[in-house]
């Protein structure tokens, strides 16, 4: 391996959607930073079998507004 080309690999805190926390190692951010998950295996429909819309910052509304006219005919 070449020296001095790899990112710093350090410990970070992860907070799941239900509030549980754990530590892991990552290249993200700086040592000791916290990552809050919006979707994780406890809330994702692929694992839970339940559909729900997670609207963080109005993203769903923004999408609907942007693409509302698609599929309508203009004469």
């Amino acid at each position: 391996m070449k020296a001095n080309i790899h990112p710093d690999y350090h410990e970070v805190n992860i907070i799941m959607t239900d509030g549980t926390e754990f530590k892991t190692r990552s290249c993200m951010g700086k040592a000791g930073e916290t990552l809050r998950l919006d979707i994780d295996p406890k809330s994702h429909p692929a694992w839970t079998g339940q559909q729900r819309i997670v609207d963080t910052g109005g993203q769903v509304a923004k999408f609907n507004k942007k693409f509302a006219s698609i599929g309508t005919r203009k004469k």
Side-chain angles (χ1 to χ4, degrees), residues 62-70:
K62 184 177 170 183
F63 176 86
N64 288 337
K65 181 179 177 185
K66 184 174 182 178
F67 296 107
S69 63
I70 289 183

Side-chain angles (χ1 to χ4, degrees), residues 2-75:
K2 292 183 179 180
N4 301 323
I5 65 166
H6 300 287
D8 180 35
Y9 189 61
H10 50 268
E11 197 169 87
V12 294
N13 300 319
I14 307 294
I15 300 177
M16 307 283 269
T17 55
D18 66 350
T20 57
E21 299 181 28
F22 67 93
K23 292 182 186 248
T24 189
R25 295 185 55 84
S26 173
C27 297
M28 180 213 78
K30 297 177 183 171
E33 282 192 3
T34 300
L35 173 65
R36 290 186 172 274
L37 299 178
D38 291 332
I39 297 178
D40 61 20
K42 295 178 183 176
S43 64
H44 194 280
W47 288 282
T48 62
Q50 299 174 5
Q51 279 288 47
R52 74 175 206 185
I53 295 177
V54 178
D55 190 7
T56 55
Q59 293 296 319
V60 173
K62 184 177 170 183
F63 176 86
N64 288 337
K65 181 179 177 185
K66 184 174 182 178
F67 296 107
S69 63
I70 289 183
T72 58
R73 288 188 162 202
K74 296 179 183 176
K75 292 182 180 182

